[in-house]
Amino acid sequence: MATITKIEIDGFKAFPNNFSIDLSDGKNLLIYGENGSGKSSLYYALHVLMQSVFKDDKGTKYFKPGDTNGDKFIPNNEQLININRFNEAKANTYTPNIRITFDDGKVWRLDNGGLQSENGGNESDIRMLNKDSAFINHSYISRFHAARNSEEINLWNVFYKDILPFHLPAGTSEFLTDLYDNIKREYNGGVDTKNKVFQDQITKFNDLLNKYIDRINIRINSIYNDNFKNEGDKDLNIKLIYYSKEHPDNALKEQYYLFCGKNTNGANMFYPPKIGIEIKEAGVLIYKPQSYFNEAKLTAIALAVRFAAMSTTAITPGSFLALDDMLISLDMSNRAKVMEYLLKLSDKYKIYLFTHDKMFFEYFKHKTQKHQSEWVCKEIYMDDNKIPYIRNSEDYLGQAEHFIKQHEYEIAGNFLRKAAELLCKNFLPTKWQLSTDYSRLDLNGLIQNCKKYAEESGLKDVAIFEELDGFRKFILNPASHDSYDIIKYRYEVEECLHTLHAFQSIVIIPFLEYGAKLYFELKTPLPNIEKYKFEIILCDDFRIIKLPDKEPIISKGMINYRVIKNETIGRMQSDNTTLKHFYDVNYSKSDKSKSSNYLNSIIVSKTEDPIYNFI
């Protein structure tokens, strides 16, 4: 299976219109969103699509408005269609859907026709990706310690809903949840509970679950004590219990195993499994852990169990952990422990982390800085029309766009100014950012130098810098915000944003290293044929400048050069020019036998390749 590169949602839960999030190259995702912003809807979109592969109807129910019985419409209570698009979906004039794209090019779509691949994907791939992936949210944590003080903790519902749907026992082709559901379905269908085939299925289920519990028990304690225990706390010994009645440690002969048989009145009964938990602190058994431990420690124990249940070997490529606000009961110090553990896992699993806690979001983002290229950090908000929109975290243009939608135009203008300054500095070599006395240029100086640098480098269209200079006098000048017409100001702010987006689309790439040596050769025309070799040393910060849909150019800079005429070496000279201009001037005097394109004719001495190969 491949890695997720794009998630698209249209008409599902909080998303009335098409919404997409790109995870180019299969990156990890960290996303912040306030409650009601659509953050959890994004989490559930991923969950619903991935889990639909196991549904009898392949997830059709999530996008089916209802059924018609004569003239009466019967709504489908399980549908998750956005409320504003329900009538269109009901009238079949609109098809809400979720789409996920993988880096192998396969696209999976979930709509009212169920889960299907748009281009030949194999359903087994989705099943296998589920096997080594996991969804964890606060509901899992709540279910884990939902027992009342007077009850013993029974984790069967936790396992059934949150863990077993992802467990495919080795050597089998059926997830444990599916096996359990089949047994229960046969029981409800009236199967003879003494039927050998039926009883063999129960035995198989109990054996597989018992082995799985044993495997989890091997890992729980090291995960908790090495990663989640607070400094100074005593070690915990955590053990899940799934005993047969005959197990020597089952002193009370309790029924933990799945069991179907007759009760004392002779009636058939279906007894679901029971999974207990035993916790010792420094060797002392803790009776009723839900009453003894605080919520933070219970949460840490729940996470240790869930992480211990995850695969450690043969992980399917693209496997992920999707985590939605699972840490809201932890203080920041305990969240930090979980965060460090997740970062350890990120070399095996993709991490998709959703949170409504801005402080935690910023802290986690800070911790990912060393591996910034492996993460996508986004913020999701709801606009005036209740439509979610997303922006890059710490991107000035994204923040400006966000505040425009929030009608905070002056704040947006300040972010536009910061974006303009940053874009100018990225566009200009360092020496072009300084005045004659080597002080830093203000925004006016930066914009003027951008225009001059672009013109001297051979960029023919400099209108973008002229537009930016026009905005500088109003939008990008903090002193101009004392009094203005709101409608006009909004229009100007939006136009400035458009211009800066266009500026941002200009790609700047370093050219060859300082000191790189180049050459080209030309001949004079008849009758006096003379051979000239031009040897060039780059002495400046040359850059490749590329506008969308335009041929790239190489910027202006200082060069040292000498001319070898008929093998007679000339003196070293200097020039502040572009390579194109330097070549064109000399080419115009030649016999034109060489290519007129400087990119093909100027050669890198070290590799003997034309400079075109380095653009």
Side-chain angles (χ1 to χ4, degrees):
M1 191 66 202
T3 303
I4 294 172
T5 58
K6 190 173 187 178
I7 304 170
E8 298 171 88
I9 309 171
D10 196 339
F12 175 81
K13 287 179 72 69
F15 299 98
N17 302 321
N18 186 265
F19 175 94
S20 67
I21 186 163
D22 288 307
L23 301 174
S24 57
D25 302 321
K27 294 182 178 180
N28 301 297
L29 173 65
L30 173 63
I31 192 162
Y32 161 78
E34 299 170 337
N35 288 328
S37 64
K39 165 188 63 65
S40 292
S41 293
L42 178 57
Y43 168 88
Y44 280 112
L46 180 61
H47 185 277
V48 162
L49 184 141
M50 294 298 297
Q51 289 286 286
S52 288
V53 72
F54 304 116
K55 306 297 182 184
D56 291 338
D57 68 346
K58 300 301 179 187
T60 298
K61 62 185 178 183
Y62 300 119
F63 290 105
K64 184 178 181 181
D67 295 297
T68 302
N69 185 2
D71 295 332
K72 186 177 181 181
F73 177 76
I74 304 171
N76 166 28
N77 293 329
E78 293 187 88
Q79 59 85 17
L80 297 173
I81 301 168
N82 178 270
I83 189 171
N84 296 310
R85 308 304 299 272
F86 181 82
N87 288 335
E88 295 169 79
K90 177 182 172 183
N92 290 321
T93 59
Y94 165 70
T95 305
N97 65 89
I98 303 167
R99 296 173 80 244
I100 294 181
T101 302
F102 293 89
D103 64 1
D104 63 356
K106 294 295 186 293
V107 178
W108 286 86
R109 176 185 173 102
L110 176 62
D111 57 23
N112 57 15
L115 180 67
Q116 55 198 308
S117 173
E118 294 185 358
N119 52 359
N122 193 313
E123 189 176 282
S124 64
D125 291 338
I126 297 292
R127 286 177 170 269
M128 291 305 294
L129 185 56
N130 272 284
K131 176 181 78 73
D132 287 331
S133 298
F135 290 89
I136 310 175
N137 61 9
H138 188 62
S139 296
Y140 162 76
I141 305 297
S142 299
R143 279 192 287 270
F144 193 91
H145 47 79
R148 294 192 296 269
N149 292 337
S150 60
E151 298 175 332
E152 290 187 11
I153 294 176
N154 179 5
L155 298 179
W156 165 245
N157 282 334
V158 174
F159 270 71
Y160 177 73
K161 291 178 178 293
D162 299 290
I163 298 177
L164 298 187
F166 305 97
H167 179 57
L168 183 68
T172 70
S173 59
E174 192 172 25
F175 285 77
L176 268 185
T177 298
D178 294 339
L179 179 56
Y180 176 82
D181 287 342
N182 289 337
I183 294 170
K184 191 171 184 179
R185 191 180 298 113
E186 288 190 35
Y187 172 82
N188 290 333
V191 68
D192 181 357
T193 57
K194 294 183 180 180
N195 179 283
K196 184 177 185 306
V197 174
F198 180 68
Q199 287 296 329
D200 285 347
Q201 283 185 292
I202 293 175
T203 300
K204 178 182 177 182
F205 174 84
N206 285 324
D207 287 345
L208 291 173
L209 181 54
N210 188 39
K211 289 177 182 176
Y212 189 35
I213 296 293
D214 285 345
R215 198 188 82 183
I216 293 172
N217 281 334
I218 292 171
R219 303 180 61 223
I220 296 176
N221 294 309
S222 61
I223 291 176
Y224 177 85
N225 292 315
D226 295 346
N227 298 280
F228 303 151
K229 186 186 71 171
N230 289 323
E231 186 175 352
D233 283 358
K234 299 172 183 177
D235 279 1
L236 296 186
N237 184 281
I238 306 164
K239 179 182 178 181
L240 300 180
I241 298 173
Y242 192 61
Y243 290 152
S244 66
K245 277 191 173 182
E246 296 76 27
H247 193 283
D249 291 334
N250 191 356
L252 299 178
K253 303 302 177 185
E254 292 185 64
Q255 181 64 52
Y256 288 90
Y257 276 17
L258 169 63
F259 175 73
C260 291
K262 297 184 181 298
N263 63 13
T264 54
N265 297 323
N268 284 337
M269 293 294 294
F270 184 92
Y271 297 93
K274 174 183 175 182
I275 300 176
I277 185 169
E278 177 184 278
I279 303 176
K280 294 180 180 179
E281 186 179 49
V284 178
L285 178 65
I286 305 301
Y287 184 66
K288 303 290 178 60
Q290 71 272 31
S291 302
Y292 181 81
F293 295 122
N294 61 29
E295 188 173 2
K297 185 160 287 190
L298 289 170
T299 296
I301 293 169
L303 292 174
V305 170
R306 187 64 189 90
F307 292 139
M310 288 161 42
S311 177
T312 57
T313 59
I315 295 176
T316 304
S319 299
F320 62 83
L321 289 177
L323 314 162
D324 182 31
D325 270 338
M326 65 173 191
L327 306 178
I328 55 179
S329 60
L330 297 179
D331 59 25
M332 188 55 72
S333 63
N334 284 299
R335 292 186 194 186
K337 294 184 181 70
V338 178
M339 180 196 67
E340 294 290 349
Y341 183 74
L342 291 175
L343 291 174
K344 290 179 187 177
L345 294 180
S346 64
D347 63 337
K348 296 179 181 177
Y349 295 88
K350 296 299 176 185
I351 306 296
Y352 307 142
L353 181 59
F354 305 78
T355 181
H356 76 276
D357 188 318
K358 194 67 162 68
M359 183 182 295
F360 177 68
F361 171 80
E362 295 294 343
Y363 184 61
F364 200 109
K365 183 172 62 178
H366 170 71
K367 286 292 186 178
T368 64
Q369 288 301 302
K370 291 182 180 179
H371 307 283
Q372 192 172 10
S373 63
E374 300 171 10
W375 286 82
V376 171
C377 299
K378 301 283 187 179
E379 298 179 28
I380 189 169
Y381 295 89
M382 192 76 74
D383 68 14
D384 288 347
N385 298 316
K386 302 300 181 184
I387 297 175
Y389 66 91
I390 202 159
R391 68 183 178 105
N392 291 329
S393 183
E394 288 191 348
D395 176 276
Y396 290 141
L397 290 182
Q399 294 195 61
E401 193 166 7
H402 164 64
F403 283 109
I404 290 171
K405 291 178 179 178
Q406 300 295 323
H407 309 298
E408 297 283 357
Y409 307 122
E410 187 169 347
I411 298 175
N414 289 332
F415 279 112
L416 291 173
R417 179 181 179 86
K418 292 179 179 181
E421 290 176 347
L422 181 61
L423 288 169
C424 286
K425 289 174 181 177
N426 290 338
F427 183 75
L428 293 172
T430 302
K431 71 178 185 180
W432 284 78
Q433 300 175 31
L434 305 174
S435 65
T436 53
D437 63 356
Y438 299 103
S439 60
R440 292 282 178 182
L441 292 172
D442 60 12
L443 182 57
N444 176 44
L446 289 171
I447 293 174
Q448 301 310 320
N449 271 13
C450 281
K451 180 181 176 184
K452 182 179 178 182
Y453 178 68
E455 288 175 328
E456 292 187 3
S457 295
L459 204 64
K460 295 179 180 178
D461 185 1
V462 294
I464 191 169
F465 304 108
E466 293 169 349
E467 290 176 16
L468 195 56
D469 190 41
F471 290 124
R472 175 189 59 81
K473 299 168 185 176
F474 181 38
I475 299 299
L476 305 178
N477 182 356
S480 70
H481 297 172
D482 294 335
S483 177
Y484 45 76
D485 180 278
I486 290 294
I487 296 176
K488 180 183 177 183
Y489 190 62
R490 172 170 184 161
Y491 172 78
E492 293 285 343
V493 166
E494 290 174 338
E495 288 298 300
C496 182
L497 175 67
H498 177 76
T499 296
L500 287 171
H501 272 305
F503 190 178
Q504 191 179 47
S505 69
I506 299 175
V507 178
I508 306 295
I509 306 171
F511 187 46
L512 295 166
E513 295 179 358
Y514 180 96
K517 296 180 180 180
L518 318 173
Y519 75 88
F520 62 89
E521 296 176 341
L522 297 170
K523 292 187 295 185
T524 56
L526 293 171
N528 299 317
I529 299 176
E530 294 180 315
K531 296 180 179 180
Y532 288 83
K533 181 178 182 180
F534 296 81
E535 294 185 338
I536 303 167
I537 301 175
L538 301 184
C539 302
D540 217 334
D541 183 7
F542 284 84
R543 295 167 162 214
I544 300 164
I545 304 174
K546 189 175 187 314
L547 278 68
D549 303 320
K550 301 289 185 182
E551 284 295 318
I553 64 171
I554 300 173
S555 66
K556 182 179 181 179
M558 289 295 302
I559 62 170
N560 287 339
Y561 72 94
R562 66 184 179 186
V563 183
I564 303 174
K565 177 181 177 182
N566 295 328
E567 300 188 5
T568 301
I569 300 175
R571 63 183 178 83
M572 191 65 73
Q573 303 176 67
S574 297
D575 196 0
N576 186 24
T577 185
T578 66
L579 293 175
K580 182 180 188 306
H581 181 262
F582 186 76
Y583 180 80
D584 287 349
V585 167
N586 290 289
Y587 177 79
S588 65
K589 304 171 187 176
S590 75
D591 65 352
K592 311 296 191 296
S593 60
K594 295 286 187 179
S595 170
S596 61
N597 189 333
Y598 79 109
L599 296 175
N600 294 323
S601 299
I602 300 179
I603 306 299
V604 178
S605 302
K606 185 176 181 179
T607 64
E608 293 296 324
D609 292 319
I611 60 175
Y612 178 83
N613 291 358
F614 295 86
I615 295 180

